[in-house]
Amino acid sequence: QVQLVQSGAEVKKPGASVKVSCKTSGYTFSSYDINWVRQATGQGLEWMGWMNPNSGSTGYAQKFQGRITLTRNTSIGTAYMELTSLTSEDTAVYYCARDRQDYSGSTFIDFWGQGTLVTVSS
Amino acid sequence: DIQMTQSPSSLSAFVGDRITITCRASQYISNSLAWYQQKPGKAPKLLVYAASRLESGVPSRFSGGGSGTAYSLTINSLQPEDLATYYCQQYFGTPRAFGGGTKVEI
């Protein structure tokens, strides 16, 4: 079965960086794009960006441009999200999520990781 | 950027009720819309994609509809386990905006 297992909770100081991993199993890693979505406590979902694991191509929401980097290690089926220059506003649960194509060829999220809580506090 | 406006932000209903949540896009999204259910402390779960296609394993009391810029999620015969927050998301363009969510209380 498809699984996306994320790394554990992190506590960071303002100005620091965080790197969250997302280990996949149950499908061919390079065949499905990976998205990253975050959710502050009690708030809604915020899409951050996507990555094509085959080519390494990425796309980022304007809000995170310059601070976010999505990478992958295809040999171990793992995707990574690094966010730099952290502030308290970045305190949130971060999710990785797999894309799937619908009948028109457009891609949507079908499976989610369990989430990783990142707390930014001095 | 495409904006997604979801309503209501919360609702309270009884077991057995039929409820409808709506999502409006700021521009045409060609049925590229998904609905997700998120229970407290859990990751979201896919319910509907392509506006009206029910994901495998999702109970048939859930249904999606709409076209153009206006979409809806209907839950027929609401069950206690449907207590959750529901989100729409457009995937017609990037950034792939989510609606603000609808919290369903039973």
Side-chain angles (χ1 to χ4, degrees), chain B residues 75-97:
Chain B
I75 310 176
N76 285 299
S77 189
L78 195 67
Q79 298 300 302
E81 59 266 31
D82 299 334
L83 178 148
T85 302
Y86 295 84
Y87 294 92
C88 62
Q89 186 194 26
Q90 67 82 16
Y91 53 94
F92 185 72
T94 57
R96 294 204 214 163

Side-chain angles (χ1 to χ4, degrees), chain A residues 33 35 37 39 43-47 50 60-62 95 99-104 106-115, chain B residues 1 30-32 34 36 38 41-46 48-50 53 55-56 87 89 91-92 94-100:
Chain A
D33 292 354
N35 295 263
V37 175
Q39 184 173 39
Q43 302 301 306
L45 300 167
E46 182 175 31
W47 184 83
W50 66 270
Y60 303 131
Q62 181 71 28
Y95 294 100
D99 261 352
R100 187 175 95 209
Q101 276 194 352
D102 70 12
Y103 62 89
S104 71
S106 298
T107 55
F108 61 96
I109 291 172
D110 66 346
F111 280 99
W112 298 68
Q114 85 276 17
Chain B
D1 293 358
S30 187
N31 290 353
S32 295
Y36 300 92
Q38 186 179 34
K42 299 294 187 181
K45 172 190 172 184
L46 175 66
V48 170
Y49 65 95
R53 304 217 168 182
E55 175 67 347
S56 175
Y87 294 92
Q89 186 194 26
Y91 53 94
F92 185 72
T94 57
R96 294 204 214 163
F98 289 91

Side-chain angles (χ1 to χ4, degrees), chain A residues 29-41:
Chain A
F29 176 68
S30 58
S31 296
Y32 297 82
D33 292 354
I34 294 286
N35 295 263
W36 289 85
V37 175
R38 76 177 186 180
Q39 184 173 39
T41 303

Side-chain angles (χ1 to χ4, degrees), chain A residues 19 22-24 29-30 51 53 70-80:
Chain A
K19 191 170 186 177
C22 172
K23 182 165 179 57
T24 69
F29 176 68
S30 58
M51 180 192 65
L70 302 182
T71 57
R72 86 288 191 207
N73 183 331
T74 54
S75 66
I76 57 172
T78 301
Y80 303 92

